[in-house]
Amino acid sequence: MNRPDQAISQLGPVLASHPDHPEVLRLHASLLSLRGEHRLALRDMRRALDQRPHEALYHNAYALFLAEAGELDQAIEFLRRACELQPTFVLAWYNLGLFLTRSARFDEARDALRRAVGLAPDYTAARAQLADLLRMDDFRDEAIAEYRKLLAAQPWTGMAWWGLAEIKTLRLGTSDSDAIQHALTLPRATDGDRVAMGFALAKALDDQGRYAESMQALAAANDIARRYRAWNAAAFAATIESIRAATCTASAEQRLGSEVIFIVGMPRSGSTLIEQILASHSNVEGAAELSDLPLLIGEESNRRKKSYPKWVSEMSADDWRQLGQRYLERTARWRKRRPIFTDKLPNNWMHIGMIRAMLPGARIVISRRDALETCFSCYRQYFPGNDYTRTFSDLASYWRSFDGAASYWAQKEPTHVYQHVYEDLLKDSETQIRELLAFCGLPFEEACLRFNETQRAIGTPSAMQVREPLRADTARAPRYGGLLNPLRQALDLPLVDERSKA
């Protein structure tokens, strides 16, 4: 539904004549949710559920609206009830697995997804999600088997090919690249499949040292993706400037937020590695990429009837304190085992000023890596929703916005904002890890040097890489030589010989 306002208008007469009918309420709630009015959607769906408390479908629907509103824990409980009421309800088991995964409750998620696959072996989304979870949770061989099983039945399934490509320790040979190229021609493949397969093909060709062909596969995949979602670099840069310029009055409670370490930065810059190092400490819980801060921004925007950051200058110190406390309430479960937790949502670099205002005791670690390596790695990664990764010019523009904001806040707030450089870590890991821990107010622990031995589920593309010791050969740009000159030019970096290819 792309026009919820129009649909709500058309539903009006039915809602007026049957204001309490549960199906009418359920449909109205769906439209309200699409419009971003999550609390109103929950109100209507609750009224419908109260009338049909024993129908699994209504519990499942209510759970979806709860999740849209950022209430994952409650959503999980309603999905559990849906599964109890109707044990054969495949979609409820699948949604339960999804939401448990988002909550980093991976063991429970795996069980739920296995139930979904057991009930519906041909349910592509469930099997692909199960395989993704197995990969993230370091069940490498089982994940590969699930992906291969899915591809044997449906060779055009792009997410299965990309899932295999995401297993960085798995080399994709010529049989794989040939199979992907054939699958790209199959009529059952959607454009979404072709985008995912294009990135998988690029990874396979990279594994085989066929770098020019890999670049061609990446360009083709990104071109397809851009047909559906474009990115406005100028508008984004203006938004970032307006966020940085907004006035923030910090809360008077200077220790508020001392329980959290935000890890921010460009994707593919080493943020998962920082999280893994910190999560190896006995006082720190690695909570993965949390959506709580963006959801709080959305809630405050809805409450004030203004888009972010237009309302920022209106916030008093007490307003910021209340918002900070709301964040800590939402994230309380991450402090049940250990006193400190990490929030590793990379895009939170845009909101450093807001974090400083609402949680003045929080520490913010900015992950930094060489600009060329970071941007090229983003270009090679299948990133649904990260539309700035589709062209070199957009990537360079995004990088400049990030670089400007990161440098500004690190200089302005040096006691609370720290830039951790990936290349420096490779040169002298112990010194850099000691400095990171000291900035976070943590005593040194040897386990942080052996971060690759820490057993925990990791839900990002770097899951398998951070389970290995540090390697000095991770730079990819030298292999591509002059093929990356367009990206170098966009980043205002020196060009290399066009004939230079590894």
Side-chain angles (χ1 to χ4, degrees), residues 151-292:
L151 289 169
Q154 301 178 22
W156 59 84
T157 307
M159 289 310 299
W161 280 117
W162 176 246
L164 283 175
E166 277 283 70
I167 301 175
K168 308 299 184 185
T169 56
L170 174 67
R171 184 182 184 278
L172 299 180
T174 54
S175 61
D176 288 312
S177 55
D178 290 346
I180 297 171
Q181 287 172 324
H182 173 69
L184 284 165
T185 68
L186 296 176
R188 294 287 296 275
T190 66
D191 277 351
D193 289 318
R194 291 188 179 92
V195 171
M197 282 192 283
F199 283 99
L201 176 60
K203 195 271 185 183
L205 295 169
D206 179 277
D207 284 347
Q208 298 164 37
R210 298 158 65 181
Y211 301 122
E213 294 172 79
S214 180
M215 290 293 289
Q216 291 169 1
L218 288 171
N222 279 307
D223 282 346
I224 295 173
R226 288 186 73 228
R227 294 177 201 164
Y228 294 90
R229 290 172 59 105
W231 191 67
N232 189 326
F236 178 80
T239 298
I240 295 302
E241 275 304 307
S242 66
I243 291 173
R244 192 167 69 177
T247 302
C248 296
T249 305
S251 165
E253 295 183 32
Q254 292 301 309
R255 286 194 53 77
L256 188 67
S258 58
E259 310 95 318
V260 57
I261 301 169
F262 288 89
I263 303 170
V264 304
M266 287 275 291
R268 312 299 297 146
S269 65
S271 59
T272 302
L273 179 56
I274 295 171
E275 180 191 51
Q276 181 75 352
I277 292 168
L278 291 174
S280 300
H281 197 281
S282 61
N283 288 334
V284 181
E285 185 74 59
E289 298 183 354
L290 304 182
S291 59
D292 297 275

